[in-house]
Amino acid sequence: MAKALLVIDYSKDFVADDGALTCGQPAQAIDQRITELCKQFLQNKDWVIFPMDAHLKNDPYHPETKLYPPHNIIGTAGREVYGQTGKWYLENKDNDHVLLMDKNRYSAFQNTNLDNYLRERHIHDLTLTGVCTDICVLHTAIAAYNLDYEITIPRSAVATFTSNGDEWAMAHFKNALGANIAD
């Protein structure tokens, strides 16, 4: 059965020290693990999908404008995939099994074609990685659960702003969504 790795919002703005809305060191520490997973999935002829925030500068209509500083602005370096993972993406972006897709809400399923893309390829098992564990990864996992996908969350490949947020989200993935927690 086909599988997909989702690398959620792993951008310079969310990960780099000078990122506009950075998780900093915890997010930087998962770079190597995400890259390893990307390589593994592609070698197995599975899919690697990069759902990436895509915002307009100073958009008065987007609810995140009131919550966070401007981040992942379309056309800026802040949207580039971060680190080793970014290098891997650039080397493999033309592969039919690698996709970067824009999203404009926390969940990678909201207002996107992700569900159709996965179903067309008979993908039922999803591994969710990236940032932020308790925001975009969480909302994507909830949507995946509600769409009946099997979910795996590797602890070593997600990060967020606080350890409390990370711990709460991991418990929620396991206890409320039935996700497989891997390492």
Side-chain angles (χ1 to χ4, degrees), residues 132-153:
C132 296
T133 314
D134 56 345
I135 304 173
C136 293
V137 178
L138 172 68
H139 285 260
T140 299
I142 292 168
Y145 170 82
N146 287 330
L147 292 167
D148 296 323
Y149 287 96
E150 295 294 322
I151 307 164
T152 298
I153 314 282

Side-chain angles (χ1 to χ4, degrees), residues 3 18 56 71 85 109 115 121 136 148 162 165 171-173 179:
K3 299 178 181 182
D18 61 349
L56 300 173
H71 62 280
T85 304
F109 288 95
D115 186 45
R121 287 151 184 82
C136 293
D148 296 323
T162 66
H172 189 78
F173 294 143

Side-chain angles (χ1 to χ4, degrees), residues 16-32:
D17 285 333
D18 61 349
L21 188 56
T22 188
C23 293
Q25 184 56 42
Q28 294 163 19
I30 65 174
D31 189 23
Q32 182 177 346

Side-chain angles (χ1 to χ4, degrees), residues 13 29 34 37 40 48 60 67 69 85 114 120 130 139 151 173 177:
D13 268 355
I34 292 175
L37 288 167
Q40 176 187 335
V48 180
L67 299 171
T85 304
L114 180 59
E120 289 167 353
H139 285 260
I151 307 164
F173 294 143
L177 305 180

Side-chain angles (χ1 to χ4, degrees), residues 50-54 74 79 100-104 108 110-113:
F50 291 81
M52 186 68 71
D53 259 8
I74 295 169
R79 280 198 76 224
L100 189 143
M101 57 169 286
D102 291 347
K103 67 182 190 67
N104 67 1
Q110 185 69 41
N111 299 336
T112 72
N113 194 40

